Amino acid sequence: MAIDLLSDIYPGQYHWTICVSISRMWEFRGRSDDEETKHLDLVIIDKKGTSMYVEIPPDSIPFLKPQLQEGKVVTMKKFVVQQAKPEYRVVQNPYMIRLNRRTEITPVEPEPAFFPKVTYMLTPFSELEQHKNMKKNFLDVIGQITAISNVSNFHTAAGTVQNRRTITLRDVSGMTINLSLAGARAVEFDGDKIYELGQETAVVAIFVGILMKGSRGQPSYLSGTSACRWYINDFQIPAIQEYYNMLPSEVDAVEKIELIDNTARQQHIQQKTVLQLKDMDPFEHMNTRFQCTVTITGLSPNQGWYYLACKICNSRSYYNNSTYKCSKDNCPCTEAEDRYKLSFTAADETYELEFVAFDQKAQQLIGKPLQRLQSMYGKFDTPTEISNLIGQRYTFIVKMAAKKSMERDEPSYDVIYIKEQFGRQPNIPLFRKTSYLTGTSSSQAVRQSLPSPIPMEPKKIQIKNQHQGITITDPSKMQYQHTTNNELTEFQQYEQQNLAAKRERSSDVMVLITVWELYFSSEHKSLLRLSDKYCSEI
């Protein structure tokens, strides 16, 4: 049987036969380990050391997975070679393999001696920062383990709870970085065993299939999820043996890091009223998280509900000269994607402020992915799914948008986590704010017995007031009316008094204009004295 090398196969031919070792195998489930398996993934290596990514679709997993095992050498035939995916590449190869139900997998017995089973392409710590938030390639690193944490649970951006473990790595130059193992990988890493080993000798590890991540104002870190694997003090791997030999004869023992789980962390988050949030100093509380319970009262005007974001730093991006340009001066990224940005006002019984929900937090509120809403509505429409949020009550974990808040009279807060949802409320706090040179004051009214929002058709948003013939195109500006025993609420009386005053002033102005028109008429010059007298009176 003729065996083809991985370096010789290419798309368009289907009669290849390869002999490879299964270096890694993992199930990809998406953002959460609780989701269904989307595909089974492999990294394979042939006898020459050439590696390639392999993907098995869900319908073929039950037939093929029992024949696969990490470290085993097998032959494969009846598969499809295709172009590698543009993102999240685990190895440097322009092609990938896709297996199917008809793929034939046969174990090689006896197993060949000295067959390669580990593949990696190490990135120095000094070059990691340039890969931050990039999705094209997974990274591989080597370093000495200096600290290990316990397993703790965290809230993800999707609103789920996920296990995490932190490992501190140091390179030979003394540079350190934290690696966060997430989901099943956090539990599979035997922290106790590695800690005990680290009390006796240096622990050198290679971690493969990881990403460099970071957010504005926070330290960058490595992230390892389902694609991640590790090799610890395996001296059959040349890179580990070489690294170990470069270490001094005496090294520090591995330390323990204590991570606080999500429950304990939330106990340290202070509950605040909206009025208390208003008085927070952005210079002193820019990274502090608070908890608040609020009712959404409206949508921020002229904000839209998504924007074009840089793929690296999430700053706003612009299309210029046939390419995307990040608005952040030192960001080199030329790729962009649309991203949820939902700005709304929310209040409790004390005050009303602006809040902003991005990405998964916004999707959790709205209930639909961004692409779905974009297919249903125009960019300048307000989707029904968003206008329906008015009147909904939530408990949020929030953090001040420091830079934005420094430039405004009142702070704005980013929603970090949606802790609890209470549903639609019968009464909505309504604040009237008046700005003065010396400060801001507000008074409160209540919208009572809030009716259900008027249904809106996608792409054809139009709301008619049948009594006044007014067309309202912005659902966030809808005013709800309510009467009890034919009496107006305090808020409606206030509005009618304002309207009457405006009409009276308007009438005075019209009289003044008429008088001045008569003044300039050659036939009514005698009215000059009347005009002067009237102007002095008003």
Side-chain angles (χ1 to χ4, degrees):
M1 178 175 58
I3 299 296
D4 301 296
L5 295 175
L6 292 180
S7 58
D8 293 333
I9 67 176
Y10 52 86
Q13 299 294 325
Y14 304 100
H15 300 292
W16 309 111
T17 300
I18 57 177
C19 179
V20 295
S21 66
I22 302 171
S23 179
R24 309 173 216 163
M25 181 170 67
W26 69 95
E27 292 182 352
F28 176 71
R29 296 176 178 268
R31 292 182 176 271
S32 170
D33 289 341
D34 297 329
E35 297 182 21
E36 294 184 359
T37 301
K38 293 179 170 54
H39 43 81
L40 180 65
D41 301 330
L42 311 174
V43 172
I44 60 175
I45 314 172
D46 68 11
K47 65 180 183 180
K48 295 293 187 180
T50 303
S51 56
M52 189 173 287
Y53 167 73
V54 179
E55 183 175 289
I56 305 174
D59 62 340
S60 301
I61 293 176
F63 301 96
L64 301 181
K65 187 176 181 180
Q67 307 173 57
L68 300 169
Q69 183 180 342
E70 284 187 357
K72 292 296 183 180
V73 178
V74 299
T75 60
M76 294 181 182
K77 60 182 179 179
K78 296 183 180 178
F79 53 81
V80 177
V81 181
Q82 59 189 48
Q83 295 289 333
K85 293 182 177 181
E87 294 182 333
Y88 299 110
R89 295 185 177 185
V90 289
V91 293
Q92 298 298 313
N93 197 310
Y95 303 131
M96 61 172 281
I97 290 175
R98 187 175 177 87
L99 306 187
N100 56 77
R101 293 189 181 190
R102 295 181 175 83
T103 298
E104 296 181 8
I105 300 175
T106 306
V108 175
E109 299 291 350
E111 188 171 293
F114 308 109
F115 205 99
K117 294 185 178 181
V118 177
T119 181
Y120 49 83
M121 182 173 289
L122 300 176
T123 300
F125 283 17
S126 59
E127 297 178 8
L128 289 175
E129 194 66 25
Q130 67 190 44
H131 297 280
K132 185 170 70 175
N133 296 329
M134 300 293 284
K135 301 176 182 178
K136 183 177 181 180
N137 298 309
F138 281 101
L139 305 174
D140 309 329
V141 298
I142 186 171
Q144 179 189 352
I145 295 178
T146 61
I148 303 173
S149 80
N150 57 306
V151 175
S152 181
N153 58 70
F154 284 72
H155 282 292
T156 68
T160 61
V161 177
Q162 188 179 65
N163 289 322
R164 297 280 180 90
R165 184 196 294 273
T166 298
I167 300 168
T168 302
L169 298 174
R170 182 172 60 199
D171 68 6
V172 290
S173 70
M175 187 176 181
T176 62
I177 191 166
N178 284 334
L179 165 63
S180 176
L181 295 179
R185 293 293 177 262
V187 178
E188 292 169 1
F189 187 91
D190 195 338
D192 292 336
K193 181 179 179 180
I194 301 304
Y195 174 77
E196 292 176 3
L197 178 63
Q199 305 310 302
E200 302 173 357
T201 184
V203 181
V204 179
I206 291 178
F207 288 88
V208 297
I210 55 180
L211 295 171
M212 185 68 168
K213 294 188 176 182
S215 57
R216 190 177 303 171
Q218 300 295 324
S220 302
Y221 66 96
L222 294 169
S223 173
T225 54
S226 58
C228 178
R229 282 289 183 273
W230 49 84
Y231 309 98
I232 297 175
N233 279 12
D234 186 346
F235 298 115
Q236 294 183 355
I237 300 175
I240 291 181
Q241 182 66 68
E242 293 172 7
Y243 192 100
Y244 192 90
N245 292 339
M246 287 189 291
L247 296 175
S249 57
E250 293 185 4
V251 296
D252 296 331
V254 173
E255 299 179 353
K256 281 189 175 181
I257 304 173
E258 187 66 28
L259 291 185
I260 302 175
D261 64 20
N262 185 70
T263 302
R265 190 180 304 105
Q266 288 192 5
Q267 291 175 354
H268 290 81
I269 297 178
Q270 298 180 16
Q271 175 77 35
K272 297 291 184 182
T273 66
V274 178
L275 184 59
Q276 289 173 324
L277 292 178
K278 169 186 174 291
D279 295 332
M280 293 296 170
D281 187 331
F283 291 93
E284 297 180 1
H285 298 96
M286 62 176 62
N287 293 318
T288 307
R289 297 186 178 194
F290 301 104
Q291 178 174 303
C292 62
T293 299
V294 294
T295 301
I296 295 179
T297 57
L299 305 178
S300 300
N302 305 319
Q303 292 292 318
W305 44 280
Y306 66 92
Y307 73 105
L308 188 64
C310 169
K311 277 194 172 184
I312 292 182
C313 66
N314 291 327
S315 299
R316 190 173 294 276
S317 186
Y318 302 93
Y319 192 71
N320 185 27
N321 294 330
S322 302
T323 187
Y324 292 106
K325 170 68 175 176
C326 179
S327 58
K328 195 173 181 180
D329 291 338
N330 59 348
C331 181
C333 184
T334 57
E335 297 181 62
E337 60 186 355
D338 288 332
R339 183 184 186 219
Y340 263 135
K341 181 184 178 183
L342 182 60
S343 301
F344 56 89
T345 54
D348 57 11
E349 66 280 359
T350 65
Y351 205 70
E352 179 183 60
L353 285 176
E354 180 187 67
F355 296 82
V356 182
F358 291 93
D359 288 340
Q360 293 297 319
K361 271 78 69 176
Q363 181 172 322
Q364 189 177 350
L365 289 173
I366 297 167
K368 291 181 180 178
L370 175 62
Q371 293 76 14
R372 178 76 181 278
L373 256 62
Q374 287 178 317
S375 67
M376 299 167 60
Y377 301 92
K379 183 175 182 178
F380 301 103
D381 297 334
T382 301
T384 306
E385 292 83 352
I386 294 180
S387 61
N388 282 345
L389 293 174
I390 298 174
Q392 297 284 344
R393 188 172 179 83
Y394 299 91
T395 294
F396 293 141
I397 305 297
V398 300
K399 183 177 70 172
M400 185 182 294
K403 184 176 179 181
K404 185 177 181 181
S405 300
M406 291 173 187
E407 302 170 351
R408 298 168 54 165
D409 292 335
E410 294 184 346
S412 175
Y413 284 84
D414 292 340
V415 177
I416 304 301
Y417 176 67
I418 303 168
K419 185 175 180 181
E420 193 169 357
Q421 180 176 357
F422 301 96
R424 185 172 297 280
Q425 303 300 296
N427 301 324
I428 299 182
L430 182 64
F431 287 84
R432 296 188 295 273
K433 301 180 182 179
T434 306
S435 297
Y436 302 96
L437 292 177
T438 58
T440 302
S441 66
S442 68
S443 60
Q444 181 186 10
V446 176
R447 292 183 190 162
Q448 300 178 342
S449 302
L450 183 67
S452 300
I454 301 173
M456 299 163 56
E457 291 295 330
K459 300 287 189 180
K460 299 178 181 178
I461 299 179
Q462 194 175 67
I463 303 172
K464 291 273 189 179
N465 184 319
Q466 296 179 354
H467 299 290
Q468 300 179 4
I470 300 174
T471 300
I472 305 175
T473 58
D474 185 354
S476 68
K477 297 180 181 178
M478 292 193 304
Q479 298 292 327
Y480 297 99
Q481 296 180 347
H482 171 68
T483 57
T484 304
N485 298 327
N486 296 323
E487 295 179 358
L488 295 175
T489 66
E490 177 188 353
F491 175 67
Q492 290 171 315
Q493 291 174 2
Y494 173 85
E495 291 295 324
Q496 288 199 357
Q497 290 171 2
N498 265 352
L499 181 61
K502 289 178 181 179
R503 288 174 176 170
E504 183 177 350
R505 289 194 298 271
S506 175
S507 176
D508 289 343
V509 171
M510 292 304 296
V511 170
L512 179 60
I513 291 173
T514 301
V515 169
W516 281 107
E517 287 177 345
L518 290 174
Y519 168 74
F520 284 107
S521 171
S522 59
E523 298 178 5
H524 299 86
K525 293 182 180 180
S526 61
L527 289 176
L528 175 60
R529 289 186 300 274
L530 174 60
S531 173
D532 292 338
K533 178 182 179 182
Y534 186 79
C535 289
S536 64
E537 291 177 354
I538 65 174

